[in-house]
Amino acid sequence: MSQAVHKNRTLIAAIGDEDTVTGLLLAGIGDIDAHQRANFVVVDSKTTQEQIEEAFTSFTKRKDVAIVLINQHIADDIRGILDEYSAAFPTVLEIPSKDHPYDPTKDSVLKRVQLLFGD
């Protein structure tokens, strides 16, 4: 695909726990567009799986989002949707959180790379 198609994809979206999202916001990723849609969602014990799925679907449909960062332990809650997602943009990256270490065996992107290289 041409670079012109993706030139408006300038945002990083985040779905994560409070500490992760706060850190990313402090790093400067926060944005609220003209339609009052934020590019981040804080997931806590009251957040339902449906709300996480809705946030993921919303972020992956937006034309201004280039990367979706999601805590791996939250990604586990919507693993089916993540495994079915195959678009190049926005790219979905699973990241660790303070309380949950990264597990490469669960990472859907890493699984696809290993499949391509026959590992």
Side-chain angles (χ1 to χ4, degrees):
M1 294 190 156
S2 72
Q3 187 176 4
V5 174
H6 303 296
K7 71 178 181 177
N8 293 328
R9 291 190 182 272
T10 59
L11 296 178
I12 297 174
I15 303 171
D17 57 31
E18 185 175 13
D19 290 337
T20 301
V21 173
T22 300
L24 291 168
L25 291 175
L26 288 170
I29 73 152
D31 184 74
I32 297 179
D33 67 8
H35 302 289
Q36 298 298 306
R37 297 178 303 174
N39 66 328
F40 57 91
V41 172
V42 175
V43 176
D44 60 18
S45 61
K46 297 175 189 167
T47 308
T48 65
Q49 180 176 344
E50 290 77 25
Q51 290 171 313
I52 299 168
E53 291 173 358
E54 182 181 318
F56 178 79
T57 303
S58 169
F59 291 154
T60 55
K61 288 183 179 178
R62 286 178 57 169
K63 300 299 180 196
D64 58 348
V65 174
I67 300 170
V68 177
L69 299 176
I70 183 168
N71 281 133
Q72 191 174 52
H73 71 280
I74 295 167
D76 289 341
D77 294 339
I78 60 167
R79 182 62 57 202
I81 293 174
L82 277 173
D83 288 344
E84 290 175 9
Y85 182 78
S86 61
F89 289 98
T91 300
V92 177
L93 299 174
E94 296 179 28
I95 59 174
S97 69
K98 184 173 74 172
D99 298 325
H100 299 88
Y102 176 75
D103 182 358
T105 63
K106 295 180 181 178
D107 192 326
S108 59
V109 174
L110 189 58
K111 284 180 187 176
R112 279 186 234 144
V113 170
Q114 288 173 335
L115 195 67
L116 286 173
F117 289 109
D119 291 341

